Amino acid sequence: MEMHGEELINAPKEKVWEALNDPEILKQAIPGCEEIEKDSDTSFTAKVKVKVGPVKATFKGAVSLSNIDAPNGYTITGEGKGGAAGFGKGGADVSLTEADGGTLLKYDVKASVGGKMAQIGSRLIDSTAKKLAGEFFTNFNELVSTGAAEEAPAVETETSAAAETTPEPAQAENVAPTQSATPEPQEPEQPAGWMKPSILIPVAIVVAAILYFLTQGNS
Amino acid sequence: MSVENGIGASVVRKEDQRFITGNGNYLDDINKAGQCYGYFLRSPHAFAKINSIDLTAAKAAPGVVDIFTGADMAADAVGGLICGWGISNKDGTPHAAPPHPCLATDSVKHVGDQVAFVVAESLQAAKDAAELIEVDYEELQSVTDVRKAASGAQIHPEAPGNQCYDWELGDKEAVDAAFANAAHITKMDLINNRLAPNPMEPRAALGEYDRGTGEYTLYTTSQNPHVARLILSAFVNIAPENKLRVIAPDVGGGFGSKIFVYAEETTTIWASKRVGRPIKWTADRSEAFLTDAHGRDHATHAEMAFDADGNILGFRVSTLANMGAYLSTFASAVPTYLYATLLNGQYKMPCIYAEVQAMFTNTTPVDAYRGAGRPEATYVVERMMERAARDMNMDPTELRMKNFIAPDAYPYETPVIMTYDSGDYPQTMNLAKDMIDYAGFQARKAESASRGKLRGIGSAAYIEACGIAPSAAVGSLGAGVGLWESAEVRFNPTGSVTVFTGSHSHGQGHETTFAQLVADKLGVPYESIEVVHGDTTKVPFGMGTYGSRSLAVGGSAIVKAADKIVDKAKKIAAHLMEASADDIEHNQGVYSIAGTDKQMTIGELAFAAYVPHNYPEDLEPGLAENAFYDPLNFTFPAGTHIAEVEIDPATGIVEVVDWAAADDFGNVINPMIVEGQVHGGVAQGIGQALLEGVVYDDDSGQLLTGSYMDYCMPRADNLPNFKVEATNTPCPSNPLGVKGCGEAGAIAAPAALMNAITDALGKEIDMPATPEKVWRAAQSA
């Protein structure tokens, strides 16, 4: 499937970029996201859990970033595995441009699903992806425009403490150096674009298809 | 002549008592003490290398008994699955026969390919453990479309260019010469869409190993348990035949898909010894879509040459046939000897040339499915005949009439191997036209037009070769088996009869039909006859049921055994009544001395055979006879189906408003069962033409039609009330004069319906004629 879209985020470009690289914000924005871990400067893993009635499915996603051009955009590619449910994989080109009222986030997503999700959910993938992307942006917009991520009480996993070791990777040079009022970046600059909407999308698709599948009582 | 409930009676089916009361004994109803459950981890990718499989976490999961991979089976010297029919290329070399391991070893080749077999205390535990298996796949670019297979990545090293074979039949030079002299040539490109078989009962297996005797028992959803035993023993190396028992209990439909030996039952029976406990595996519907052998999937270019009067001069056909990722058990035969040999249709064709390229793709294997090659042939021939008539401004039924083989021309040898033994094609054509009021069609069309609807009418004059098959004939064409059938008719001392048949019933009603047959031949009450099938330790080695062969071949074997019974009973009667056996006459179970009123019943004679106090010295006690029957020829059911449709151009919905089926099945044992078979076959054919179609994602190779949300099956509201009638030219090639009826509807229907739809639209479209496709055609000028 392919999905192209743009969202107006009520915040300046640098702030949006920062948020896009802030695991905590992303974790809160992505529906069902449970944890996010950085494997390297440009790769992350995430766990998204979905519960439907008595059934749970956990999706593990791995995302990597390339073509990083802070604060203007990057390319992300990712894959989410849902065990018996199959997998989703895809990529997105994401760009940020200043616009009236904030920042225009444009995305071009290409994603595909495999296994059970393709067999039972192919008809639902497009609409599901759009729905989940919509939820993500609603959450993201809210988090960015109201300032930094609030420690949502529900957050049980503390992932942020990793900040002390920060060997600056070469390509991290460009990470938001211009931010004047930057609060101490507790996250190394890593363009943690790690779970941008694009990863979100395959994962979300997976999740949605699973949900659908489970509710069908089929198996 | 007729016995009550004998030949020709529409007896209500015996087996329905247990089926409709929920007392059938299907495979999943069977459970064994200590049984555990098997579950297959399947490939989510269409084509990928397996770099590693890590079972550590999965083996430690709760309830896991053991987990097996391809390496375990290889270490046990368990062979892969075989293809039992050798096809030669144009240059005489054999077809490519790549290995087909039960569990993947170094690569997976279609979505659903078996990767590991998890055995656990419960199905849920097995599924949970399967989730913990870590497989490192390296994805490769797949190819699923048969038209792109040659340029796709190589799937098997043994099959360069992904070609399984490049085969030909017929006289190319004669055809070329015929085309050079043609007044008219009709050309068409036709797609025969891929179908999932969808039997009501999914495939299942229960394997059990007896450590005391060393015997294996495999319960499996098979249409031919002895063939399964033979393959598992001789080729897969599970166990010697005498240590392997295969039971196919009540089986809920097969349509061909349960002929074949699959990876699942093979792995299950093998693993049952490894774990020392019975193992049950039952497919869910998703697995059925992924792994039951699919049907059809041809892309064909055809050309037919005519003289100025509309007589056929020659026919050439070039077909690409999709084999899927591996060769299934009889896959190679379907697009060759079961297909091209029927391209002559019901016509006088002076010459035919067919070439078939079979290709490997990253899809589920394709094999025989209701009709197996003959629906594909009929579709090509009959779409071409209709198209040619339109091109030449002739009535399609008239063009057919003009070219039909004359009713007095039998036996008729075609240019493509077959010798038709009987038929009367003009008779069935005229009957079908009368049934549907062909003459009144234009008035109905005008009435539809007044309501803004498009009405169309289309015919298919089909012929098929079934009752397969003479062993010598199929042997000469590459078959690895003979296709005879076996039977035993066994009297019990009290006069009741048990019939053991090598045929297998999975919906056809053999327990009824064969009992009628024996009642008729031996004069025993129908209620006193029991039919036994499906267990290799009970019935003599038999070849099973497919290709509409049960009655023509299996029934003929029963007749032969019954004839032996009659001969022996006459000798017993002659002794007891002190006459010569030559003077004993048999009539419906009564044995009398000709010209006298002295007589004995078969019940008395059977008792005498088992309590032989006064018995002929030169005769063995007992009254039971075996017979094997090898047919003299195929049988050739034929007929005409005419479909009438009304299309709403605003929605693209096709309503099948009328259906006439005029079939010549030769003699008929149970007209009600035959009509039911026609109904089912036509419904399946309508399904193919209107609704069904397996779809793979062209890029990723994922199966997109993996459930009934996306794979549309025909339902009652898609079907009209069928008009079914029969003519009868008895088959001269078997003692019953029967031809077989199980596949006819599925063979005739797709061409008839597509001819009707394209007649209404005035445009050619391919199957399935979905509302979207029809709407687009109706809307485009």
Side-chain angles (χ1 to χ4, degrees), chain B residues 189-209:
Chain B
D189 288 301
L190 295 159
I191 299 291
N192 205 296
N193 44 323
R194 179 186 282 237
L195 303 176
N198 289 301
M200 195 178 293
E201 179 200 29
R203 289 188 296 116
L206 173 54
E208 190 178 18
Y209 176 72

Side-chain angles (χ1 to χ4, degrees), chain A residues 82-84 87 89 113-116 118-120 122-123 212 216 218-219, chain B residues 44-45 111 127 131 139 284 286 290 700 702-707 709-710:
Chain A
F87 64 88
K89 58 180 181 174
V113 296
K116 187 146 272 186
Q119 292 145 35
I120 63 164
S122 51
R123 246 178 240 276
Y212 184 80
Q216 296 301 300
N218 169 352
S219 173
Chain B
H45 301 293
V111 175
K127 285 183 174 181
E131 290 230 22
E139 264 193 273
D284 61 27
S286 289
L290 281 172
S700 68
Q702 293 292 329
L703 174 69
L704 301 180
T705 48
S707 78
M709 289 184 290
D710 297 293

Side-chain angles (χ1 to χ4, degrees), chain A residues 5 7 20 28 37 58 77 80 88 92-93 102 115-116 146-147 154-155 170 179 184 191 194 209 216:
Chain A
E7 282 290 324
L20 274 182
Q28 292 180 47
E37 281 178 27
T58 302
T77 45
D93 294 317
K116 187 146 272 186
T146 58
V155 176
Q179 294 278 81
E184 283 288 339
W194 61 301
Q216 296 301 300

Side-chain angles (χ1 to χ4, degrees), chain B residues 174-342:
Chain B
V175 171
D176 290 344
F179 273 77
N181 296 319
H184 172 79
I185 296 174
T186 287
K187 301 181 180 185
M188 284 185 95
D189 288 301
L190 295 159
I191 299 291
N192 205 296
N193 44 323
R194 179 186 282 237
L195 303 176
N198 289 301
M200 195 178 293
E201 179 200 29
R203 289 188 296 116
L206 173 54
E208 190 178 18
Y209 176 72
D210 184 326
R211 272 181 290 190
T213 62
E215 286 177 357
Y216 290 83
T217 303
L218 171 64
Y219 298 82
T220 179
T221 48
S222 175
Q223 301 176 209
N224 38 207
H226 272 107
V227 175
R229 188 184 74 172
L230 176 67
I231 291 173
L232 290 171
S233 174
F235 298 96
V236 184
N237 196 27
I238 293 290
E241 267 188 293
N242 58 315
K243 291 292 187 187
L244 179 58
R245 176 184 184 185
V246 177
I247 300 170
D250 284 334
V251 172
F255 309 110
S257 70
K258 293 174 182 170
I259 298 169
F260 324 119
V261 175
Y262 289 87
E264 290 89 350
E265 61 264 29
T266 308
T267 309
T268 300
I269 187 68
W270 166 78
S272 68
K273 180 181 180 184
R274 290 287 297 255
V275 303
R277 291 168 59 183
I279 303 172
K280 185 195 279 192
W281 167 78
T282 304
D284 61 27
R285 189 55 68 181
S286 289
E287 288 179 286
F289 276 108
L290 281 172
T291 61
D292 287 1
H294 289 165
R296 320 288 190 250
D297 204 349
H298 285 195
T300 294
H301 176 77
E303 301 183 355
M304 199 179 276
F306 295 85
D307 68 13
D309 296 329
N311 296 300
I312 301 169
L313 297 175
F315 189 26
R316 64 162 71 111
V317 175
S318 175
T319 294
L320 281 170
N322 198 337
M323 296 282 98
Y326 304 99
L327 277 181
S328 173
T329 314
F330 291 109
S332 53
V334 176
T336 49
Y337 292 112
L338 299 181
Y339 164 70
T341 52
L342 275 299

